Amino acid sequence: MSKTQIDYPGTLYVFAAPSGAGKTSLVKALLENMDGIAVSVSHTTRAMRPGEENGIHYHFVDIPQFEKMVAEHAFLEHAKVFDNYYGTSRTGIEQQLALGMDVILEIDWQGARQVRELMPETVGVFILPPSRQALEERLRGRGQDSDEIIARRMRDAQSESSHYNEFDYVVINNDFATALAELQAIVTCQRQRLSAQQWRHGKMIESLLEQ
């Protein structure tokens, strides 16, 4: 085991997908159907929007504070998006994992690379649409974007999808219920790891082995 790799009882997941693949809806349903799993709350320098709560939707910080955290290597990954900074706190993630909680990061393939460099035990899950046609239909079905924006999103989706082979699992979201069941199976499988079961059921296992 490398110096950076620690076998926590909880599992850290990176979920990535092109826009329109249904990742957000699948993650929401996964949280509703399984206990002991949560989505990481990121830090951001953008302004709080109406209805948002600090610590619930994001940890809202100013730019100097964010830059200080970067200098202290406090983030597993961070990026600048449209003049605002976003980052995932390493300490916050490690504390949840140490308590046996599974944690999901919803980030792109670049952020996934950063995370896995620091925590190679992270489990990567990539969600794909069943076809280009289905993806375009989903994007158009939103009824929010022009043809030009749709075309750009399709190009971005192709670029994002080209990194699917950097992940441990690939789920094709053709049928929502099937895709959700496959995600649940992945989480369930990870929870049966030897170290996780020893942490959860150590005393029971010891009692079974008593002479």
Side-chain angles (χ1 to χ4, degrees):
M1 184 179 296
S2 69
K3 292 181 179 179
T4 58
Q5 185 168 346
I6 301 174
D7 205 355
Y8 291 103
T11 298
L12 178 62
Y13 295 90
V14 169
F15 279 32
S19 177
K23 177 187 65 176
T24 300
S25 297
L26 283 169
V27 169
K28 182 175 183 293
L30 183 66
L31 298 182
E32 291 172 350
N33 283 274
M34 298 193 80
D35 295 326
I37 189 166
V39 173
S40 170
V41 179
S42 300
H43 285 69
T44 184
T45 59
R46 77 160 173 77
M48 191 184 303
R49 296 169 182 167
E52 290 184 331
E53 294 182 48
N54 187 38
I56 301 296
H57 298 90
Y58 285 97
H59 298 292
F60 294 95
V61 297
D62 57 24
I63 291 178
Q65 185 177 351
F66 192 97
E67 291 177 339
K68 181 175 183 291
M69 293 180 72
V70 171
E72 294 173 346
H73 305 287
F75 293 120
L76 277 176
E77 58 83 30
H78 65 278
K80 185 177 183 180
V81 182
F82 302 122
D83 298 325
N84 294 307
Y85 292 97
Y86 296 83
T88 301
S89 166
R90 179 166 186 163
T91 300
I93 294 295
E94 290 176 337
Q95 288 175 344
Q96 287 180 291
L97 296 177
L99 292 173
M101 177 72 71
D102 295 323
V103 183
I104 297 173
L105 304 184
E106 293 186 75
I107 53 181
D108 64 13
W109 64 269
Q110 293 169 306
R113 279 186 179 178
Q114 292 182 50
V115 171
R116 298 187 83 168
E117 285 179 4
L118 294 174
M119 298 184 71
E121 68 277 15
T122 299
V123 175
V125 180
F126 202 95
I127 300 169
L128 285 171
S131 67
R132 289 176 59 87
Q133 179 182 351
L135 180 62
E136 184 170 355
E137 288 174 354
R138 291 174 185 178
L139 291 174
R140 291 190 181 280
R142 296 174 177 177
Q144 300 173 341
D145 301 319
S146 65
D147 287 344
E148 182 181 357
I149 292 176
I150 293 292
R152 178 176 60 79
R153 290 189 182 277
M154 288 296 294
R155 291 193 299 271
D156 291 344
Q158 184 177 24
S159 175
E160 181 83 13
S161 297
S162 69
H163 295 274
Y164 79 95
N165 56 359
E166 298 179 21
F167 291 72
D168 302 295
Y169 297 94
V170 175
V171 171
I172 310 299
N173 186 17
N174 185 20
D175 175 75
F176 186 87
T178 300
L180 176 59
E182 290 170 349
L183 290 177
Q184 290 175 308
I186 291 169
V187 174
T188 299
C189 178
Q190 290 296 320
R191 289 180 175 179
Q192 310 316 306
R193 297 183 341 266
L194 174 62
S195 58
Q197 292 289 65
Q198 286 176 322
W199 184 82
R200 293 186 178 94
H201 305 293
K203 290 184 178 180
M204 181 273 290
I205 295 172
E206 287 179 5
S207 69
L208 289 173
L209 301 178
E210 287 178 354
Q211 298 295 326

